[in-house]
Each structure stands twice: as C-alpha cells, then as structure tokens.
Amino acid sequence: MLNSKIEEIKIELSKVIVGQNEMIDALLIGLFTNGHILLEGVPGLAKTTTVKALADIINLNFKRVQFTPDLLPSDIIGAQIYDMKTGEFKIKKGPIFTNLLLADEINRAPAKVQSALLEVMQERQVTIAEDSFKVDSPFLVLATQNPIEQEGAYTLPEAQLDRFMFKIVVGYNTKEEEFEIAKRVTSTQSISLNKVLDKETLSLIKEEIAKVHIDEELEKYIVDIVCATREPKEYGLEEIADYIQFGASPRATIDMFKAVKAMAYIRGNDYVSPIDIALVVKAILRHRIILSYEAEAMQKTTDELIQKIMEKIDIP
C-alpha cells in the first residue's frame, strides 16, 4: 500500500500549517475520491494557505479565483471572444480549466456566479457558447467561505451545496498551536515544500482505496443514517422530526461510501470500521440537511441533529 505517501504529504503540510488535522484529512479524501470541499471559517485560519501548499506538494495545476460581488460567470468558465484579425470567434478558457480550483470566499459572489460552477462540479465539463469542454483529471473545487453572518456574504444555493462532498468548519487553533504559528511567522527561516505525489501515484492510490473492504452491514448502516435525516420518525427520532425540513440527498450516501473507504485508507487500514463513518458523517451531512423555521428559532444546528441520529441508530 502507498499509505507512506500520505504521511509524507502531512509532514510537508506541517511545515506551513499548524494543527487543522480535520481540514487536511478532508482535503486528502477529496483528492483521492474526486470530491469537492467547502471550508467555512473566519478569515485568517490558513484555509487558503493549506490549499496552496497542497497544490505545491502534489504537483498539480492550481488556480485561484477571488469571488467578489461584481464577478461574472465568464470570469470563471471563460467566454467566446471575437478576433479582429481573423474575423472569427474564439474560445478563451477561464481559470476553471485546472486540476485544483480554489474558489476563495465563494459566498461573496451572487448566486448567478456560484451556479457557474454547478455543471463542472458534477459533469466535469464546461459549456461555453455552443461547445462543451472536458476539464483535466483530477479536478477538484476547494471553496472557502466566511460565516454567513459576516457582512457582504450570500448563502450558497442548496443545489450547489449538495455537490460538495464535505463541509468542514474550520475552528481556531489551540493556544499552543497559535504560539507556534506566531513564532514561525516572525522567523526569518525560508520554507520550501517538496513534491511528494504525482498524477501516476495519485491514480495508484485511488485504485487501492477502491479495493478497501466495506462490510454489507456497514453499508446498510450508512444508508440508515442518511434515510434517518429524511424520515426521522421511522427511526424513533420524533424529537427532531419537526426540526428537519429536507433531509440529505442520495448524493450524500454515495459520498459517504467513497469517503469512509478513503478515511480507512488514510488511517492505515484496508477495511472500513464504524470509527471511519463517525469521523466523516458530520462533514458529509451538515450542509445537506435543511432546517425548519422551528429549528432556527430554537437555535438548533445540523451537527446536533446528526449527533442525535448517530446516538439512536445501532452500530452493527
């Protein structure tokens, strides 16, 4: 197995990132399973720095788009332009044609621009004028957003949220980690990152992850968890039934099947255990459950509801 490569990646990332292990694991799982990642947190928590460092380490093409209120869809996907010399229209491709696309502060742009990503996130292709173009493989959207309550932010459409495998809530570092960050920033020592992964090795890792064993009982357990978000009463969860307006989509089940295999692989196992499910379940479901007005009035969070579901459903 190529698990040693994962440790090498983490060692390189630790040169520039202190802590934030959940975010790093999520980025690796996304990379290994072609799953898009949404990172939410206040500014200054190294979200952008982590993505840039990951792109350096794995030797993939990387582009960054800063989302702003005046951004246009053509600024992301490209446009058809008229060439005065030849008298013909030509396609000018946008930054979306890359391996890793960092959509920085994605919720600063209105829905029209955010929806420009919908086709490419699902179909891995872009339509410009009348032509469709495939994007390179691997292709991964890594989006960052500031919490909605911050000024000048828009909520992401539910259809787009569903296309993100994970929503990772990036929290503050511990006091010890922050002390280490401050020491590093004020140090004059330059940091160079080694490239430890290429496309060929990445493909081999994906093949190994596909072979990770998951027991049928655990597969049914995953399906039960997702179905409980839609029909809580059927699982004896009457207490949360009024708090959920819409549950998770089938895409959540598919992403869970992929993510638990990758999590088991990252942890050095060739089989999935209930621990792997517990480690990814909130990140996969938290942005896919639509809360009711009653839940918002009671200040309930999707994480709380997911926890209730996990406590109720028996582990096989």
Side-chain angles (χ1 to χ4, degrees):
M1 290 177 72
L2 293 164
N3 295 74
S4 58
K5 286 291 180 184
I6 296 183
E7 194 56 40
E8 288 180 44
I9 293 171
K10 290 187 175 183
I11 289 169
E12 291 300 311
L13 283 175
S14 68
K15 292 179 181 178
V16 291
I17 307 299
V18 179
Q20 306 296 5
N21 294 321
E22 184 188 5
M23 174 169 61
I24 290 169
D25 282 347
L27 291 175
L28 291 177
I29 291 171
L31 182 68
F32 297 150
T33 60
N34 297 321
H36 308 294
I37 311 292
L38 178 63
L39 304 172
E40 180 179 286
V42 297
L45 296 180
K47 300 184 296 294
T48 305
T49 304
T50 306
V51 175
K52 284 181 178 176
L54 184 64
D56 287 340
I57 292 164
I58 58 180
N59 198 22
L60 293 175
N61 293 326
F62 166 75
K63 289 181 182 172
R64 175 181 179 273
V65 177
Q66 179 66 51
F67 278 59
T68 56
D70 60 348
L71 199 71
L72 298 173
S74 58
D75 294 330
I76 303 169
I77 64 173
Q80 190 179 50
I81 59 172
Y82 183 71
D83 190 326
M84 297 286 287
K85 291 181 181 178
T86 62
E88 296 177 347
F89 284 97
K90 290 184 177 179
I91 299 295
K92 182 182 179 184
K93 292 182 177 180
I96 209 164
F97 290 91
T98 185
N99 296 125
L100 293 182
L101 177 70
L102 174 58
D104 218 354
E105 296 190 317
I106 190 171
N107 59 334
R108 294 290 182 197
K112 180 173 67 173
V113 177
Q114 294 168 2
S115 64
L117 291 172
L118 284 177
E119 180 187 14
V120 70
M121 288 174 73
Q122 184 63 28
E123 309 296 336
R124 299 300 199 275
Q125 71 174 25
V126 179
T127 301
I128 304 173
E130 297 175 354
D131 300 314
S132 293
F133 304 89
K134 288 286 184 185
V135 293
D136 291 339
S137 182
F139 174 74
L140 194 60
V141 174
L142 304 167
T144 70
Q145 72 171 14
N146 296 332
I148 298 304
E149 59 267 23
Q150 294 220 349
E151 187 178 349
Y154 300 80
T155 53
L156 267 66
E158 282 79 5
Q160 185 172 8
L161 281 172
D162 194 37
R163 282 168 170 78
F164 285 103
M165 173 182 268
F166 285 146
K167 177 183 175 183
I168 302 297
V169 179
V170 186
Y172 289 108
N173 293 86
T174 64
K175 190 163 61 173
E176 292 77 14
E177 289 170 347
E178 192 137 342
F179 178 68
E180 177 63 26
I181 292 167
K183 279 208 307 182
R184 288 191 190 185
V185 170
T186 54
S187 170
T188 56
Q189 185 177 355
S190 61
I191 297 170
S192 61
L193 296 174
N194 299 314
K195 296 190 184 299
V196 297
L197 203 65
D198 53 30
K199 287 186 180 181
E200 291 74 22
T201 311
L202 181 59
S203 295
L204 291 173
I205 289 175
K206 288 180 178 180
E207 288 175 15
E208 290 191 349
I209 288 173
K211 295 174 184 174
V212 171
H213 175 72
I214 177 169
D215 192 80
E216 187 176 336
E217 289 300 312
L218 287 180
E219 290 178 333
K220 291 177 180 176
Y221 176 55
I222 289 171
V223 174
D224 278 337
I225 292 168
V226 177
C227 289
T229 68
R230 303 173 199 156
E231 301 291 341
K233 290 181 180 177
E234 289 188 13
Y235 292 86
L237 287 158
E238 288 82 359
E239 59 187 299
I240 67 169
D242 292 337
Y243 297 145
I244 298 176
Q245 188 174 2
F246 296 104
S249 72
R251 200 179 272 131
T253 309
I254 295 167
D255 282 348
M256 190 96 79
F257 273 50
K258 292 178 182 177
V260 294
K261 283 188 169 190
M263 177 57 83
Y265 185 85
I266 286 173
R267 294 177 62 236
N269 299 323
D270 59 0
Y271 60 91
V272 175
S273 72
I275 295 171
D276 300 310
I277 297 172
L279 287 171
V280 301
V281 64
K282 288 183 180 177
I284 287 176
L285 295 180
R286 63 165 57 108
H287 55 297
R288 291 179 156 116
I289 297 173
I290 311 300
L291 297 176
S292 65
Y293 290 115
E294 186 176 344
E296 292 176 10
M298 299 291 287
Q299 296 187 321
K300 296 291 181 181
T301 65
T302 52
D303 279 18
E304 288 176 36
L305 303 186
I306 296 164
Q307 187 61 41
K308 292 282 187 186
I309 289 170
M310 295 299 287
E311 289 169 2
K312 186 69 175 180
I313 299 176
D314 293 332
I315 299 171

